[in-house]
């Protein structure tokens, strides 16, 4: 399947994460996408450059206020002198509009640049630097271009996105994600296709942003298999089985939380359950939110899935026989990420055959 790519991902150097108040090196590194590119090149993949898409495509899944903030956040931070005093070289929030704090919903956008960061970021580990907006914007273009290829008749395409997107909601961001690439692809497929779309998220972590964006939408099924937040894992506050959608979207959301250490058998059973749910839901196109951080050895999750497991999951998802856009999410084991992606994509092609 064609691989959509943009060099602009390299402009996003997160500069680490602020986690429990401490600057740590972080794992969402430019090298991740480069390793995937090398593995796909070795596997003989056909690369397609991402095409720039207008902002209207972003507005399908994000509030204008979030886009306006992200587009200017770094320049505003630098212009306010914060890189010199107190000497913070990334945008880091310090105050958050917790529901219990507020007199207005939604809260106003604060005047102070330092406070504005907390209006849109829900954690301290998703830092903004000089090239973050450009890279995040390019990642959406990668996903939209991959969706366009499928709408033009390709059976499947792979969007090699970085930064990832599935933790970004309609109006806030976090979890190393800024803009929701998979949601943008799903909206594109939904608008250009003829019927329901499913987003099936096999990243090790709950796709809370994608869930939130489509929570009331009956036309986009969102399913996620992930490590149980109740076992102490990000995003902690949601991702539970009881979250099934709201209003007209009731029944169009499905969460399958898994115990740490689940391994191939339980994880593959969950992936198969999501695939059967999408098939029974009558969907006409599929977005696979492909995180490979469920793999054994990944520093960010305890699910211990094997490379063969990712191949088998690919066969299950490919077996649906749907027009499919695969969008890269997490995966932080640099030694394994390339092979894991190749295995998953190969599995999808085997499943379709
Ligand atoms: Zn993840």
């Amino acid at each position: 399947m064609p691989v959509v790519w943009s060099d602009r991902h390299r402009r996003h150097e997160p500069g680490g994460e602020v986690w429990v108040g401490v600057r740590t090196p972080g794992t969402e590194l430019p090298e991740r996408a480069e390793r995937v590119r090398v593995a796909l090149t070795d596997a003989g993949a056909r690369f397609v450059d991402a095409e720039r898409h207008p902002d209207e495509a972003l507005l399908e899944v994000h509030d204008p206020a979030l886009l306006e903030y992200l587009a200017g956040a770094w320049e505003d931070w630098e212009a306010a002198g914060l890189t010199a005093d107190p000497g913070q070289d990334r945008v880091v929030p310090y105050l958050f509009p917790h529901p219990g704090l507020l007199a207005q919903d939604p809260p106003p956008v604060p005047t102070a640049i330092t406070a504005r960061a907390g209006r849109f970021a829900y954690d301290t580990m998703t830092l903004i630097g000089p090239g973050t907006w450009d890279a995040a914007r390019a990642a959406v273009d990668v996903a939209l271009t991959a969706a366009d290829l499928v709408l033009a008749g390709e059976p499947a395409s792979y969007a090699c996105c970085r930064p990832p997107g599935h933790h970004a909601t309609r109006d806030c961001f976090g979890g190393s994600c800024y803009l929701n690439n998979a949601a943008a692809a799903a909206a594109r497929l939904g608008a250009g296709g003829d019927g329901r779309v499913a987003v099936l998220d096999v990243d090790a972590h709950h796709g809370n942003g994608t869930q939130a964006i489509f929570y009331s939408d009956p036309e986009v099924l969102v399913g996620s298999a992930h490590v149980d937040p109740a076992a102490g894992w990000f995003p902690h506050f949601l991702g539970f089985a009881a979250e099934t959608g709201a209003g007209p979207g009731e029944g169009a959301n499905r969460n399958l939380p898994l115990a740490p250490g689940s391994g191939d058998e339980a994880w593959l059973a969950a992936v198969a359950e999501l695939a059967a749910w999408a098939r029974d839901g009558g969907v006409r196109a599929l977005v696979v939110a492909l995180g490979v951080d469920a793999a054994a050895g990944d520093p960010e999750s305890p699910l211990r899935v094997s490379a063969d497991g990712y191949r088998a999951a690919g066969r299950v998802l490919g077996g649906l026989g749907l027009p499919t856009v695969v969008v890269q999410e997490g995966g932080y084991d640099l030694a394994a990420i390339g092979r894991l992606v190749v295995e998953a994509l190969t599995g999808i092609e085997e499943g379709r055959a």
Side-chain angles (χ1 to χ4, degrees):
M1 69 183 79
V3 174
V4 186
W5 173 263
S6 171
D7 286 337
R8 282 158 62 199
H9 86 85
R10 295 171 190 150
R11 297 210 61 225
H12 175 49
E13 292 269 8
E17 301 174 345
V18 175
W19 189 69
V20 298
V22 178
R23 188 83 166 248
T24 63
T27 53
E28 204 294 285
L29 304 170
E31 187 66 16
R32 297 177 56 245
E34 300 299 327
R35 295 284 181 109
V36 172
R37 191 169 76 119
V38 167
L40 287 168
T41 302
D42 290 347
R46 170 165 62 97
F47 282 81
V48 176
D49 280 332
E51 282 180 19
R52 182 78 178 185
H53 286 70
D55 285 346
E56 284 68 44
L58 281 167
L59 292 167
E60 292 292 319
V61 294
H62 289 296
D63 273 2
L66 174 65
L67 303 181
E68 189 183 337
Y69 169 72
L70 287 173
W74 169 253
E75 283 72 17
D76 290 348
W77 188 265
E78 199 177 32
L82 293 155
T83 53
D85 177 14
Q88 178 53 270
D89 69 350
R90 292 293 185 276
V91 179
V92 185
Y94 88 100
L95 174 70
F96 298 93
H98 192 284
L101 171 72
L102 297 177
Q104 293 178 45
D105 183 26
V109 175
T111 305
I113 303 303
T114 48
R116 203 176 296 165
R119 168 67 176 78
F120 296 100
Y122 61 72
D123 65 32
T124 62
M125 59 183 210
T126 310
L127 310 186
I128 295 174
T132 298
W133 168 250
D134 191 34
R137 188 66 180 71
V140 178
D141 285 329
V142 169
L144 291 170
T145 303
D148 288 344
L149 289 171
V150 165
L151 288 170
E154 287 281 355
S157 63
Y158 168 60
C160 193
C161 290
R162 184 189 163 269
H166 72 151
H167 295 307
T169 77
R170 204 168 273 280
D171 63 1
C172 61
F173 70 97
S176 300
C177 301
Y178 304 85
L179 299 171
N180 199 313
N181 311 310
R188 189 77 159 186
L189 290 179
D194 55 351
R196 284 181 129 182
V197 176
V199 183
L200 299 185
D201 190 323
V202 300
D203 187 279
H205 306 98
H206 175 234
N208 62 291
T210 317
Q211 167 174 302
I213 287 169
F214 297 117
Y215 206 57
S216 302
D217 188 343
E219 294 305 307
V220 181
L221 302 190
V222 177
S224 181
H226 49 267
V227 63
D228 190 352
W233 292 86
F234 190 92
H236 301 282
F237 296 99
L238 70 174
F240 302 104
E243 296 154 20
T244 56
E250 178 60 49
N253 194 81
R254 187 91 185 264
N255 286 327
L256 300 177
L258 295 161
S262 280
D264 283 2
E265 197 176 332
W267 184 75
L268 282 169
V271 173
E273 197 175 332
L274 292 178
W277 175 67
R279 188 190 58 231
D280 295 347
V283 305
R284 306 294 289 272
L286 174 66
V287 174
V288 177
L290 179 65
V292 294
D293 49 2
D298 194 280
E300 301 289 353
S301 109
L303 286 176
R304 307 213 177 98
V305 172
S306 70
D308 287 348
Y310 267 98
R311 179 95 161 230
R315 283 196 290 266
V316 168
L317 296 166
L320 289 170
L322 294 165
T324 300
V325 178
V326 184
V327 178
Q328 187 63 44
E329 300 287 359
Y332 305 97
D333 180 354
L334 291 176
I337 185 171
R339 180 182 170 207
L340 290 164
V341 170
V342 170
E343 294 287 351
L345 298 183
T346 303
I348 288 171
E349 290 189 328
E350 288 169 350
R352 297 186 63 87

PDB file of all heavy atoms in Angstrom, residues 166-167 203-206 291 293 300-301 329-332, ligand 1:
ATOM      1  N   HIS A 166      -3.985  10.689  18.501  1.00  0.00           N
ATOM      2  CA  HIS A 166      -5.263  10.174  19.051  1.00  0.00           C
ATOM      3  C   HIS A 166      -5.615  10.670  20.457  1.00  0.00           C
ATOM      4  O   HIS A 166      -6.733  10.447  20.911  1.00  0.00           O
ATOM      5  CB  HIS A 166      -5.312   8.636  18.976  1.00  0.00           C
ATOM      6  CG  HIS A 166      -4.427   7.913  19.937  1.00  0.00           C
ATOM      7  ND1 HIS A 166      -4.729   6.661  20.422  1.00  0.00           N
ATOM      8  CD2 HIS A 166      -3.242   8.256  20.492  1.00  0.00           C
ATOM      9  CE1 HIS A 166      -3.770   6.262  21.228  1.00  0.00           C
ATOM     10  NE2 HIS A 166      -2.852   7.206  21.285  1.00  0.00           N
ATOM     11  N   HIS A 167      -4.682  11.347  21.128  1.00  0.00           N
ATOM     12  CA  HIS A 167      -5.019  11.942  22.432  1.00  0.00           C
ATOM     13  C   HIS A 167      -5.521  13.383  22.308  1.00  0.00           C
ATOM     14  O   HIS A 167      -5.890  13.992  23.318  1.00  0.00           O
ATOM     15  CB  HIS A 167      -3.810  11.899  23.368  1.00  0.00           C
ATOM     16  CG  HIS A 167      -3.365  10.521  23.739  1.00  0.00           C
ATOM     17  ND1 HIS A 167      -4.230   9.580  24.266  1.00  0.00           N
ATOM     18  CD2 HIS A 167      -2.157   9.906  23.646  1.00  0.00           C
ATOM     19  CE1 HIS A 167      -3.555   8.451  24.489  1.00  0.00           C
ATOM     20  NE2 HIS A 167      -2.304   8.624  24.117  1.00  0.00           N
ATOM     21  N   ASP A 203      -3.545   1.214  19.453  1.00  0.00           N
ATOM     22  CA  ASP A 203      -2.469   1.755  20.285  1.00  0.00           C
ATOM     23  C   ASP A 203      -2.624   1.220  21.707  1.00  0.00           C
ATOM     24  O   ASP A 203      -3.731   0.898  22.136  1.00  0.00           O
ATOM     25  CB  ASP A 203      -2.555   3.288  20.274  1.00  0.00           C
ATOM     26  CG  ASP A 203      -1.393   3.963  20.970  1.00  0.00           C
ATOM     27  OD1 ASP A 203      -1.410   4.056  22.216  1.00  0.00           O
ATOM     28  OD2 ASP A 203      -0.470   4.403  20.263  1.00  0.00           O
ATOM     29  N   ALA A 204      -1.513   1.144  22.421  1.00  0.00           N
ATOM     30  CA  ALA A 204      -1.566   0.603  23.788  1.00  0.00           C
ATOM     31  C   ALA A 204      -2.385   1.458  24.730  1.00  0.00           C
ATOM     32  O   ALA A 204      -2.829   0.979  25.774  1.00  0.00           O
ATOM     33  CB  ALA A 204      -0.151   0.467  24.336  1.00  0.00           C
ATOM     34  N   HIS A 205      -2.579   2.733  24.363  1.00  0.00           N
ATOM     35  CA  HIS A 205      -3.308   3.654  25.237  1.00  0.00           C
ATOM     36  C   HIS A 205      -4.669   4.011  24.629  1.00  0.00           C
ATOM     37  O   HIS A 205      -4.808   4.047  23.402  1.00  0.00           O
ATOM     38  CB  HIS A 205      -2.485   4.923  25.458  1.00  0.00           C
ATOM     39  CG  HIS A 205      -1.109   4.635  25.960  1.00  0.00           C
ATOM     40  ND1 HIS A 205      -0.014   4.588  25.120  1.00  0.00           N
ATOM     41  CD2 HIS A 205      -0.673   4.318  27.191  1.00  0.00           C
ATOM     42  CE1 HIS A 205       1.058   4.270  25.837  1.00  0.00           C
ATOM     43  NE2 HIS A 205       0.689   4.093  27.086  1.00  0.00           N
ATOM     44  N   HIS A 206      -5.619   4.300  25.498  1.00  0.00           N
ATOM     45  CA  HIS A 206      -6.953   4.661  25.024  1.00  0.00           C
ATOM     46  C   HIS A 206      -6.889   5.886  24.120  1.00  0.00           C
ATOM     47  O   HIS A 206      -6.236   6.887  24.448  1.00  0.00           O
ATOM     48  CB  HIS A 206      -7.849   4.967  26.242  1.00  0.00           C
ATOM     49  CG  HIS A 206      -9.195   5.462  25.860  1.00  0.00           C
ATOM     50  ND1 HIS A 206      -9.723   6.640  26.337  1.00  0.00           N
ATOM     51  CD2 HIS A 206     -10.125   4.937  25.029  1.00  0.00           C
ATOM     52  CE1 HIS A 206     -10.934   6.807  25.831  1.00  0.00           C
ATOM     53  NE2 HIS A 206     -11.199   5.797  25.040  1.00  0.00           N
ATOM     54  N   GLY A 291      -1.082   2.269  16.739  1.00  0.00           N
ATOM     55  CA  GLY A 291       0.022   2.411  17.687  1.00  0.00           C
ATOM     56  C   GLY A 291       0.692   1.058  17.808  1.00  0.00           C
ATOM     57  O   GLY A 291       0.005   0.041  17.866  1.00  0.00           O
ATOM     58  N   ASP A 293       2.877   0.561  20.288  1.00  0.00           N
ATOM     59  CA  ASP A 293       3.439   0.578  21.642  1.00  0.00           C
ATOM     60  C   ASP A 293       2.837  -0.490  22.552  1.00  0.00           C
ATOM     61  O   ASP A 293       3.216  -0.590  23.725  1.00  0.00           O
ATOM     62  CB  ASP A 293       3.311   1.973  22.281  1.00  0.00           C
ATOM     63  CG  ASP A 293       1.918   2.564  22.175  1.00  0.00           C
ATOM     64  OD1 ASP A 293       1.015   1.885  21.634  1.00  0.00           O
ATOM     65  OD2 ASP A 293       1.735   3.707  22.628  1.00  0.00           O
ATOM     66  N   GLU A 300       6.584   2.430  27.020  1.00  0.00           N
ATOM     67  CA  GLU A 300       5.404   3.173  27.455  1.00  0.00           C
ATOM     68  C   GLU A 300       4.196   2.303  27.779  1.00  0.00           C
ATOM     69  O   GLU A 300       3.132   2.827  28.088  1.00  0.00           O
ATOM     70  CB  GLU A 300       5.013   4.215  26.388  1.00  0.00           C
ATOM     71  CG  GLU A 300       6.087   5.239  26.077  1.00  0.00           C
ATOM     72  CD  GLU A 300       6.311   6.247  27.213  1.00  0.00           C
ATOM     73  OE1 GLU A 300       5.533   6.232  28.186  1.00  0.00           O
ATOM     74  OE2 GLU A 300       7.271   7.017  27.119  1.00  0.00           O
ATOM     75  N   SER A 301       4.308   0.980  27.650  1.00  0.00           N
ATOM     76  CA  SER A 301       3.139   0.167  27.985  1.00  0.00           C
ATOM     77  C   SER A 301       3.521  -1.246  28.390  1.00  0.00           C
ATOM     78  O   SER A 301       4.595  -1.733  28.048  1.00  0.00           O
ATOM     79  CB  SER A 301       2.162   0.116  26.806  1.00  0.00           C
ATOM     80  OG  SER A 301       2.161  -1.162  26.202  1.00  0.00           O
ATOM     81  N   GLU A 329       0.142   6.035  15.168  1.00  0.00           N
ATOM     82  CA  GLU A 329       0.010   6.677  16.483  1.00  0.00           C
ATOM     83  C   GLU A 329       1.303   6.438  17.256  1.00  0.00           C
ATOM     84  O   GLU A 329       2.358   6.847  16.811  1.00  0.00           O
ATOM     85  CB  GLU A 329      -1.226   6.125  17.213  1.00  0.00           C
ATOM     86  CG  GLU A 329      -2.545   6.353  16.475  1.00  0.00           C
ATOM     87  CD  GLU A 329      -3.035   7.812  16.513  1.00  0.00           C
ATOM     88  OE1 GLU A 329      -2.374   8.662  17.134  1.00  0.00           O
ATOM     89  OE2 GLU A 329      -4.092   8.086  15.898  1.00  0.00           O
ATOM     90  N   GLY A 330       1.246   5.751  18.429  1.00  0.00           N
ATOM     91  CA  GLY A 330       2.436   5.578  19.250  1.00  0.00           C
ATOM     92  C   GLY A 330       3.333   4.439  18.803  1.00  0.00           C
ATOM     93  O   GLY A 330       3.124   3.805  17.755  1.00  0.00           O
ATOM     94  N   GLY A 331       4.317   4.155  19.651  1.00  0.00           N
ATOM     95  CA  GLY A 331       5.359   3.174  19.346  1.00  0.00           C
ATOM     96  C   GLY A 331       6.688   3.827  19.670  1.00  0.00           C
ATOM     97  O   GLY A 331       7.097   4.746  18.967  1.00  0.00           O
ATOM     98  N   TYR A 332       7.350   3.376  20.748  1.00  0.00           N
ATOM     99  CA  TYR A 332       8.481   4.140  21.294  1.00  0.00           C
ATOM    100  C   TYR A 332       9.740   3.308  21.455  1.00  0.00           C
ATOM    101  O   TYR A 332      10.745   3.812  21.965  1.00  0.00           O
ATOM    102  CB  TYR A 332       8.059   4.787  22.618  1.00  0.00           C
ATOM    103  CG  TYR A 332       6.815   5.623  22.406  1.00  0.00           C
ATOM    104  CD1 TYR A 332       5.547   5.113  22.688  1.00  0.00           C
ATOM    105  CD2 TYR A 332       6.905   6.885  21.828  1.00  0.00           C
ATOM    106  CE1 TYR A 332       4.399   5.854  22.437  1.00  0.00           C
ATOM    107  CE2 TYR A 332       5.767   7.629  21.561  1.00  0.00           C
ATOM    108  CZ  TYR A 332       4.516   7.108  21.875  1.00  0.00           C
ATOM    109  OH  TYR A 332       3.394   7.838  21.602  1.00  0.00           O
TER     110      TYR A 332
HETATM  111 ZN1  LIG B   1       0.187   4.948  23.001  1.00  0.00          ZN
END
